[in-house]
Amino acid sequence: MVTLRAYWRFLVVARQFLPLLLAYARDRRRYLLFGGARRVDTETQEERAERLLESLLALGPTFIKLGQLLSTRPDVLPPAYIDVLSSLQDDVPPAEWAGARAVLEEEVGEVGAAFDEFDTDPISGASLGQVYRASVDGTDVAVKVRRPGVEDLVEADLRVIRWSLPLLLRFVGDAQAFSLENLADEFAKTIREEMDYEREARMLTEIKANFADAEDVRVPGVVGEYSGPRVLTMEYLPGTKINDVDELDARGIDRERVAETLQRAYLKMIIDDGVFHADPHPGNLAVLDDGAIVFYDFGMSGRVNDYVQDKIVDFYVAVANQDIDAILDALVAIGTLSPEADREVMGNVMELAIADARGEDIEQYRVQQIIGQIENSIYEFPFRLPPNLALVLRVATVVEGVCVTLDPTFDFIETATTYLTEQGYREETVRQYLAGASDQVQDSARSIVRVPPKLEDTLDSAQRGNLTVQVELGDDKAVIDMLARRIVYGLVFGFSLLSTAYLYQGGAPYATVVSAVIGVGGAIALWRSFRTKKGIRARPQFTRQEMRKRRGDD
């Protein structure tokens, strides 16, 4: 049944995406089978991104989630697409109560027996599930119910994506092809995890325990007796939506303190705990009257291992210290930047990003701007993002956007620097640096002792005529190989030219044609070897004017 549905969905998806695929194919070859590449300006990219957004919305829950994941992957899509897809909201009409009730009763039993009261009008709806308000033993609860029949639809769509991947890979470069293959696997894993409410309950419980001593962060508790793989019952914690600044002001809530609390909460989750809430849009964050922040919806959550945590700390400390080399070292170590990348070029990118951000009227620079410009460079250069790091980067930018809404003067770096200092991370970085410097001094001292005897042995060998020097010629750009091919092409062309003239005079028409064809082939190959390859044509991404324009458009 799922396979038949997958075949039908494949036709539906192909109909939606075929015009875009044809446009991408013509970008590579103007006339599909031949012709040069076309230049695609930002305006065209934005128009295509809007069409992609409409297609994703039309295709339903799975593709809405795919669009949200793509918006976190600047190594797959250009900046114009990222900007458009970032606005994609998981907000769809709720399913009928009859279908939701059937799912609920299969998991927890008869609604009337399990709950004291149950409001059948959902308080929120999304593509994979919807939330209802109820009460159990006199306590208000929120009941999250998986959308009826969504499992079969998701599995069919995942098959379609798997079938479509080989076709998509024909329209992208090697770096993007690698990222797309990883993204397809990551997406299948992520959406299945998000449909597993038992996993969400475990993540929610773990994060709640990590904030057990925090008075300014609230995480709903799980009501395990009324939860299962398709139903999650939680403590009901109503509050004011975090971006409703007028209501926050009316309630006398200190927005600056809320912004700092939110940022510090995510620093703790990512750097200290290694498990984090990964969907911090305003619909999933609320503020209580005492200023505490409530987190909702842990279906999208992630983990970072100790190594990545250490490198994230190194990155934050390097940004705070404006240490370009340390920033690049952290990006290489974490897997974002290729070790073979041109450090001088990327150093200039980092210097320009930081200098541009600091050029604002107020003397501060924001990680959102720096990360945004790094994301742009990730697409322009063949770099890759580890899956969890893509989530971390996205969380950082979305969180800071919320913080700036609460407090327009919010400075992430100041908050992060204070947090890192309080937790002892900056001092630890200094200790590690001093320990490394001490090791280098010891190595240098040992080398000073070892070198003179070796040098004396080498000079003795040279004096006796026994010194052999092995030289390895480096040719990273294949210059010698190119010269050799040109010589061969030239010989083929020259020999064929003489042969053609000789055979023509000798009255051998067929042999003359064959010789002429070989000569033309050699001439074309020789001509192509002298053509200069066109580089990436892209307008500068790293100007303060461009960033202001983008912020103004938002």
Side-chain angles (χ1 to χ4, degrees):
M1 183 66 181
V2 173
T3 303
L4 291 176
R5 187 172 192 174
Y7 288 137
W8 172 249
R9 288 290 289 176
F10 183 82
L11 295 175
V12 173
V13 172
R15 179 176 175 274
Q16 284 287 340
F17 289 135
L18 188 58
L20 278 174
L21 290 177
L22 288 175
Y24 295 146
R26 292 192 62 201
D27 292 342
R28 297 171 67 86
R29 297 181 184 272
R30 185 179 295 271
Y31 302 106
L32 293 181
L33 298 179
F34 59 91
R38 298 190 302 182
R39 178 172 182 174
V40 181
D41 57 25
T42 302
E43 183 177 352
T44 302
Q45 287 186 345
E46 290 174 351
E47 291 175 359
R48 291 180 181 177
E50 291 290 348
R51 292 205 299 271
L52 176 61
L53 178 63
E54 292 173 2
S55 297
L56 293 171
L57 289 170
L59 289 170
T62 310
F63 288 90
I64 291 174
K65 288 293 182 183
L66 178 61
Q68 290 178 321
L69 181 60
L70 285 170
S71 71
T72 71
R73 297 302 298 266
D75 56 331
V76 174
L77 292 177
Y81 286 77
I82 297 295
D83 289 344
V84 172
L85 294 183
S86 295
S87 64
L88 186 61
Q89 295 296 316
D90 189 6
D91 187 10
V92 297
E96 295 292 334
W97 163 242
R101 179 172 185 164
V103 173
L104 183 61
E105 292 188 341
E106 286 177 13
E107 294 291 333
V108 301
E110 179 67 34
V111 173
F115 300 95
D116 299 338
E117 297 179 8
F118 198 101
D119 187 349
T120 58
D121 293 326
I123 57 178
S124 70
S127 56
L128 301 180
Q130 48 209 33
V131 181
Y132 299 88
R133 184 175 177 180
S135 64
V136 174
D137 298 330
T139 301
D140 288 339
V141 294
V143 183
K144 186 176 180 180
V145 181
R146 189 192 296 172
R147 183 176 285 268
V150 74
E151 304 96 325
D152 291 342
L153 176 61
V154 167
E155 290 301 326
D157 286 342
L158 289 177
R159 289 195 180 193
V160 170
I161 293 170
R162 206 159 47 240
W163 294 342
S164 305
L165 191 60
L167 178 63
L168 293 175
L169 297 181
R170 295 178 178 270
F171 299 94
V172 298
D174 291 340
Q176 280 73 43
F178 179 86
S179 295
L180 270 176
E181 290 178 303
N182 286 346
L183 182 138
D185 295 335
E186 175 195 349
F187 176 64
K189 175 176 177 290
T190 299
I191 196 167
R192 287 179 177 130
E193 287 179 346
E194 196 164 350
M195 289 192 298
D196 183 358
Y197 290 174
E198 288 181 322
R199 175 189 179 273
E200 181 176 349
R202 291 193 299 271
M203 299 293 278
L204 193 157
T205 301
E206 183 176 351
I207 294 174
K208 179 179 177 64
N210 291 336
F211 284 98
D213 298 329
E215 297 181 355
D216 50 5
V217 172
R218 297 286 299 277
V219 177
V222 176
V223 184
E225 309 93 281
Y226 302 98
S227 300
R230 296 184 296 168
V231 173
L232 178 59
T233 301
M234 304 160 285
E235 178 185 6
Y236 180 65
L237 294 176
T240 303
K241 197 173 181 179
I242 199 166
N243 64 344
D244 189 350
V245 294
D246 292 335
E247 183 63 22
L248 293 175
D249 289 340
R251 293 177 177 273
I253 296 172
D254 185 346
R255 290 191 277 118
E256 293 181 11
R257 188 173 73 85
V258 172
E260 183 175 350
T261 298
L262 179 63
Q263 190 63 72
R264 292 174 68 93
Y266 270 97
L267 287 170
K268 171 178 165 54
M269 282 190 278
I270 293 172
I271 295 176
D272 292 341
D273 303 332
V275 54
F276 61 98
H277 175 270
D279 195 14
H281 70 76
N284 288 338
L285 300 168
V287 183
L288 303 180
D289 288 344
D290 62 358
I293 298 175
V294 183
F295 290 82
Y296 304 125
D297 193 354
F298 289 78
M300 187 178 293
S301 50
R303 293 183 182 275
V304 288
N305 58 41
D306 293 341
Y307 179 80
V308 174
Q309 285 178 296
D310 291 341
K311 297 309 169 185
I312 291 174
V313 171
D314 292 344
F315 172 76
Y316 283 149
V317 171
V319 171
N321 295 335
Q322 299 180 57
D323 186 340
I324 303 300
D325 286 333
I327 292 175
L328 297 180
D329 290 341
L331 294 177
V332 169
I334 210 170
T336 299
L337 184 62
S338 170
E340 287 77 30
D342 188 328
R343 288 181 67 93
E344 182 178 357
V345 172
M346 290 309 302
N348 291 336
V349 170
M350 295 298 103
E351 287 179 359
L352 183 56
I354 293 176
D356 186 58
R358 294 194 70 194
E360 294 188 344
D361 294 335
I362 51 176
E363 288 297 323
Q364 67 177 29
Y365 52 96
R366 295 190 178 131
V367 162
Q368 179 178 355
Q369 294 172 319
I370 298 170
I371 287 176
Q373 294 177 23
I374 291 174
E375 287 178 344
N376 290 348
S377 70
I378 287 171
Y379 184 79
E380 297 296 340
F381 297 96
F383 300 158
R384 301 161 183 168
L385 275 182
N388 266 354
L389 184 61
L391 272 183
V392 171
L393 288 173
R394 192 63 193 162
V395 163
T397 57
V398 174
V399 166
E400 198 204 357
V402 174
C403 290
V404 171
T405 300
L406 291 167
D407 175 15
T409 65
F410 180 77
D411 186 350
F412 171 86
I413 294 298
E414 181 180 349
T415 302
T417 301
T418 302
Y419 182 86
L420 294 172
T421 302
E422 290 175 356
Q423 302 300 317
Y425 289 111
R426 298 191 77 187
E427 289 77 1
E428 180 62 24
T429 301
V430 172
R431 282 196 294 270
Q432 291 175 357
Y433 175 80
L434 292 177
S438 175
D439 292 340
Q440 289 178 1
V441 169
Q442 293 178 20
D443 291 341
S444 299
R446 282 193 292 266
S447 297
I448 290 173
V449 174
R450 288 196 303 262
V451 166
K454 292 182 179 180
L455 180 58
E456 183 178 359
D457 291 342
T458 302
L459 293 175
D460 288 343
S461 297
Q463 188 175 16
R464 292 193 300 268
N466 296 330
L467 181 64
T468 301
V469 179
Q470 183 177 352
V471 178
E472 182 178 345
L473 182 61
D475 187 25
D476 294 338
K477 296 185 179 179
V479 174
I480 295 176
D481 185 57
M482 177 59 70
L483 289 174
R485 284 203 301 269
R486 288 175 180 173
I487 290 172
V488 172
Y489 296 152
L491 289 173
V492 170
F493 174 64
F495 181 76
S496 298
L497 190 63
L498 293 174
S499 299
T500 301
Y502 178 78
L503 292 170
Y504 179 74
Q505 290 293 331
Y510 294 110
T512 301
V513 171
V514 172
S515 179
V517 169
I518 294 174
V520 170
I524 292 174
L526 182 62
W527 173 71
R528 287 176 63 88
S529 71
F530 282 97
R531 292 186 66 190
T532 303
K533 293 183 179 179
K534 296 180 179 179
I536 296 173
R537 293 179 294 180
R539 61 194 180 89
Q541 301 285 347
F542 308 103
T543 63
R544 186 158 57 253
Q545 292 83 358
E546 180 65 21
M547 291 301 296
R548 285 175 175 167
K549 178 182 177 182
R550 289 175 64 182
R551 289 200 299 272
D553 291 341
D554 293 340

